[in-house]
Amino acid sequence: MKLALFDCDGTIVDSAAVIHTCMERTFEDFGVAKPEMAHTKSIIGLTLDIAIAQMLVRPVDAEIAAMTARYKEHFMLHRQNGGVLEPAYDDLLPLIAALAARDDVVLGVVTGKSRRGLDAILAHHGLTKAFFTTRTADDCPSKPHPAMVLECCTEAGIDPNQTTVIGDAVYDMQMAVSAGARAVGVSWGYGPVDALKAAGAHHVVSHADEIATLI
């Protein structure tokens, strides 16, 4: 059996616009200069408090905790006011369906999203039943710590050396390498291809159907 663990933001769904809008509003609320989109994209994948602290080049402290809570409020308001849920990238839904149908593959998600956020995305795109195991920011330390991967491996009963992590960020590649899993980067997300390779990606794919041939 093989285990395939997908990152969510930037890999399955394109969430940059929503995340950036909520980040801009949060920074504005705290009197901090609004970030550029490139800056926001660079931290997507990290647990939220660590992401905000990294953007501001400071440790997680009481104000960072308050900003994290405010960001979550803006995100919930976006949803409650009819804001669109993050769209899936082209061909990702058929790929996941095809992999889920294979007898030799178990699927999972490893994400910096909250549990509630991930559940909403999976339900919206009809993916809830496709994934056997999931780990979120509510369950494990932030990427690139290997805990998300290792806990999914334990739950699935599959060794890391039979596991592939698919993601768009350097944190995904670093996490996979630290866990002893294979790292597959995707070019359609937010991490530059050269950075993915430098972070330890064994492969970087440009199309979703390439992933099936690597698992």
Side-chain angles (χ1 to χ4, degrees):
M1 295 296 294
K2 302 171 184 177
L3 178 61
L5 299 175
F6 285 82
D7 167 57
C8 186
D9 295 319
T11 302
I12 298 175
V13 298
D14 185 1
S15 51
V18 174
I19 292 172
H20 184 60
T21 296
C22 293
M23 202 67 79
E24 283 187 317
R25 291 171 179 169
T26 299
F27 278 39
E28 188 173 33
D29 287 348
F30 282 79
V32 180
K34 292 190 290 188
E36 299 292 332
M37 173 65 89
H39 197 186
T40 299
K41 285 183 175 181
S42 73
I43 53 78
I44 292 176
L46 294 173
T47 300
L48 185 56
D49 57 346
I50 293 175
I52 294 174
Q54 183 165 306
M55 293 177 79
L56 297 178
V57 195
R58 54 191 278 194
V60 175
D61 54 23
E63 185 175 51
I64 295 296
M67 293 179 75
T68 300
R70 183 66 58 83
Y71 175 99
K72 292 179 179 180
E73 291 173 3
H74 281 303
F75 200 89
M76 288 304 300
L77 285 171
H78 169 81
R79 293 272 172 86
Q80 292 169 1
N81 292 334
V84 295
L85 282 169
E86 299 90 320
Y89 286 105
D90 290 343
D91 300 326
L92 259 293
L93 300 186
L95 167 70
I96 292 169
L99 290 174
R102 282 174 50 174
D103 293 333
D104 63 332
V105 177
V106 174
L107 297 184
V109 177
V110 284
T111 178
K113 277 187 174 301
S114 67
R115 171 63 58 185
R116 180 165 56 180
L118 176 63
D119 288 349
I121 286 295
L122 296 185
H124 177 71
H125 291 293
L127 296 174
T128 303
K129 294 182 179 179
F131 295 104
F132 172 78
T133 180
T134 59
R135 289 298 184 275
T136 71
D138 296 329
D139 308 312
C140 295
S142 179
K143 301 173 185 180
H145 193 286
M148 289 187 185
V149 174
L150 296 176
E151 289 191 13
C152 286
C153 288
T154 298
E155 183 175 355
I158 299 173
D159 290 340
N161 61 16
Q162 294 297 314
T163 299
T164 300
V165 176
I166 302 104
D168 71 301
V170 296
Y171 316 115
D172 299 311
M173 304 300 99
Q174 293 166 342
M175 176 178 64
V177 171
S178 294
R182 181 165 56 165
V184 174
V186 303
S187 65
W188 55 79
Y190 313 135
V193 170
D194 289 346
L196 296 177
K197 292 178 178 178
H202 298 95
H203 303 275
V204 177
V205 300
S206 300
H207 302 283
D209 57 7
E210 296 177 66
I211 294 173
T213 67
L214 297 173
I215 297 171

